[in-house]
Amino acid sequence: MSTLLATLSGVFHVFVTSIVFGVGLPAVFALGMRAHAWGSGTTRKHDGAEELPPSRRFVGNALMVACLSVVMLGLVIGIGVILSSGLGMELTFNGVIPVLAPKG
Amino acid sequence: MTGEFLILALIVITALVFDFTNGFHDTANAMATSIATGALHPKSAVLLSAALNLIGAFLSIEVALTVTNSVIRIQDSDGNPLPALMGDGGGALLMILLAGLAGAILWNLATWAFSLPSSSSHALFGGLIGATIASIGWQGVKWAGDGTLDGVLGKVVMPALVSPVLAIIVAAIGTWTVLKITRVIEEKARDTWFRWGQIGSASLVSLAHGTNDAQKTMGIITLALLATGHWHDTHSVALWVKVSCALAIALGTYSGGWRIIRTLGKGLVDISSPQGMAAESASAAIILASSHMGFALSTTQVATGSILGSGVGRSGANVRWSIAGKMALAWLITLPMSAIAAAIIWWIGHFFGGSVLAAWVMIAILVAGCLAFYRHARTSHVDHRNVNDEWESAEPAREEVRS
């Protein structure tokens, strides 16, 4: 019974984290893609036919860069988790920036 | 060369062979979707995955000396072999390791021959459990942890039930979300983006795999060295052990396991690059989240669940549930089958006196079994040239087997 409870609690945490990273990051990536398409007028609606103001291209690209930065941060956290498990360290998020710390 | 040293050498080689099968069995977990959607050329995909597995294996500084402690009782909590098994210079322990590895290798090759993904860790645990039961009896097996996630229940049964369900749900939500967000974008541009995303997330899965799985073989080899007095440090692994394990898993990954890649990439779901990215991201997130929380999920079962989920999340996608059913059956019997194989091999070894002759007989059985599965696999050859052929045009071109 206690094993079952330990499992359920573990599963719940893994589930929530996986939704945040496994769904959240691809969604942000997709939003970046959409921002780029909106700025450059390459959505299906526009298809690059009509002239768009240059400011819109700038805003679209800026949004894209912001989105991709979030995705890159996610990738760095992922590599941090791998490193920490390999080095016998723990990845902590006490501050905003993830830090490798000795286990304990 | 003493008999004991010879047995030790045979165990090291067998362990490295297991590591190799572990590699080619799991290439598909990371790379099947990237190969199926054309994000990467098949050969480039296995090369990338092999390189990341190699790096990952070298990153594992932490010693996995107590790997067998999850399911059986042959080591103490430091990693030293139990004194009860050391009566004859560690011979009893060596026989358990050799039979266990042989059982795990046979199951890995059997599932490969039938083109089914299955968890190499569960096969290894199964083999060790079978050999332990044959050798020291049922009390040698740790069935459940004391309120913790340990033992057969916590490390094998629970994860096997949980992983696929979790992965299907996360990947299905992910697929649905990214398709919804990008539906206004022209398809060609969209696919280019998603291919890059796919390569990134698949690389994370490969790196994590190298860090986790090579450690297990390093642990087994070091246990054999400790048992025979060739190593005394329970806080580190010999450099040659680390290098050879890293190379074995990387070479295995590079060799591809094309049959399993084909099943995962083309057989389960007709996968597009948005689905591929959603599936690999879900896999990476679940594997890393679970490893971060000390909750051992099987990479294979997560990856397979994610690919299924990417089919569930796209309306109108064709999910071949009959193939998923076959996989589920294979997972269900992974532990008992490799346990039975290992137990039989142990008994045969015991019959031959448990010494050098016994070790050679056990190796001979292993080699014969491997050749039989290899012959079966040759009746329908799959490699990097036909791995992406249409699934419905049935089995890849059958070649006549010269006999």
Side-chain angles (χ1 to χ4, degrees), chain B residues 60-328:
Chain B
S60 43
I61 309 289
E62 191 181 34
V63 248
L65 281 185
T66 51
V67 55
T68 70
N69 281 0
S70 308
V71 289
I72 51 176
R73 297 189 174 94
I74 58 173
Q75 291 176 275
D76 66 19
S77 55
D78 290 334
N80 281 310
L82 290 185
L85 294 166
M86 298 292 293
D88 50 353
L93 188 103
L94 294 186
M95 284 297 131
I96 292 178
L97 292 183
L98 187 56
L101 286 166
I105 293 173
L106 284 176
W107 178 252
N108 267 356
L109 275 174
T111 43
W112 166 77
F114 289 96
S115 307
L116 291 170
S118 89
S119 166
S120 299
S121 323
H122 292 184
L124 179 63
F125 284 158
L128 290 172
I129 289 170
T132 302
I133 293 173
S135 166
I136 48 184
W138 295 89
Q139 77 276 10
V141 180
K142 195 190 275 180
W143 296 106
D146 309 319
T148 54
L149 279 176
D150 207 3
V152 178
L153 196 61
K155 292 280 188 195
V156 180
V157 179
M158 290 289 187
L161 295 175
V162 167
S163 319
V165 180
L166 201 62
I168 289 176
I169 296 173
V170 176
I173 298 175
T175 302
W176 183 85
T177 311
V178 296
L179 285 174
K180 187 97 183 159
I181 293 174
T182 58
R183 73 184 189 286
V184 296
I185 298 171
E186 196 242 329
E187 199 164 327
K188 213 173 138 203
R190 187 195 68 174
D191 283 356
T192 312
W193 276 73
F194 276 123
R195 286 200 190 109
W196 280 105
Q198 229 184 323
I199 296 170
S201 45
S203 298
L204 266 189
V205 176
S206 290
L207 192 66
H209 184 263
T211 321
N212 282 325
D213 281 28
Q215 272 192 2
K216 290 176 188 135
T217 314
M218 293 180 201
I220 298 283
I221 294 180
T222 306
L223 176 58
L225 294 173
L226 285 168
T228 51
H230 287 87
W231 188 255
H232 300 283
D233 185 357
T234 53
H235 296 285
S236 70
V237 171
L239 182 67
W240 67 266
V241 174
K242 177 166 279 190
V243 173
S244 54
C245 288
L247 285 175
I249 202 165
L251 279 175
T253 306
Y254 181 70
S255 75
W258 299 106
R259 310 175 73 78
I260 302 171
I261 295 179
R262 179 167 166 72
T263 305
L264 273 183
K266 301 301 277 189
L268 271 182
V269 181
D270 291 315
I271 215 162
S272 64
S273 50
Q275 286 170 289
M277 187 199 174
E280 290 307 327
S281 304
S283 296
I286 295 172
I287 291 164
L288 294 179
S290 61
S291 111
H292 184 60
M293 291 170 194
F295 186 80
L297 293 186
S298 154
T299 313
T300 304
Q301 290 164 357
V302 169
T304 312
S306 293
I307 292 172
L308 268 179
S310 77
V312 174
R314 199 190 90 190
S315 59
N318 179 18
V319 182
R320 295 188 189 88
W321 289 104
S322 62
I323 296 176
K326 268 189 216 164
M327 289 180 191

Side-chain angles (χ1 to χ4, degrees), chain A residues 1-23 25-38 42-45 47 64 68 71 74-93 103, chain B residues 56 59-63 144-150 153-154 158-159 162 166 169-171 173-174 177-178 180-187 189-191 193-194 196-197 200-201 203-205 207-208 211-212 215 277-278 281-282 285-293 295 297:
Chain A
M1 194 61 210
S2 49
T3 308
L4 186 68
L5 280 179
T7 309
L8 287 179
S9 135
V11 169
F12 181 73
H13 282 110
V14 172
F15 179 70
V16 172
T17 319
S18 306
I19 291 284
V20 172
F21 285 89
V23 175
L25 287 177
V28 173
F29 184 80
L31 285 173
M33 198 184 301
R34 192 159 169 170
H36 174 77
W38 173 81
T42 50
T43 56
R44 282 187 178 157
K45 206 162 53 179
D47 215 13
M64 173 191 77
L68 291 189
V71 174
L75 201 66
V76 169
I77 292 178
I79 295 172
V81 172
I82 297 172
L83 272 175
S84 67
S85 80
L87 301 174
M89 310 265 268
E90 219 168 12
L91 191 70
T92 57
F93 299 92
K103 261 184 194 166
Chain B
L59 285 180
S60 43
I61 309 289
E62 191 181 34
V63 248
D146 309 319
T148 54
L149 279 176
D150 207 3
L153 196 61
M158 290 289 187
V162 167
L166 201 62
I169 296 173
V170 176
I173 298 175
T177 311
V178 296
K180 187 97 183 159
I181 293 174
T182 58
R183 73 184 189 286
V184 296
I185 298 171
E186 196 242 329
E187 199 164 327
R190 187 195 68 174
D191 283 356
W193 276 73
F194 276 123
W196 280 105
S201 45
S203 298
L204 266 189
V205 176
L207 192 66
T211 321
N212 282 325
Q215 272 192 2
M277 187 199 174
S281 304
I286 295 172
I287 291 164
L288 294 179
S290 61
S291 111
H292 184 60
M293 291 170 194
F295 186 80
L297 293 186

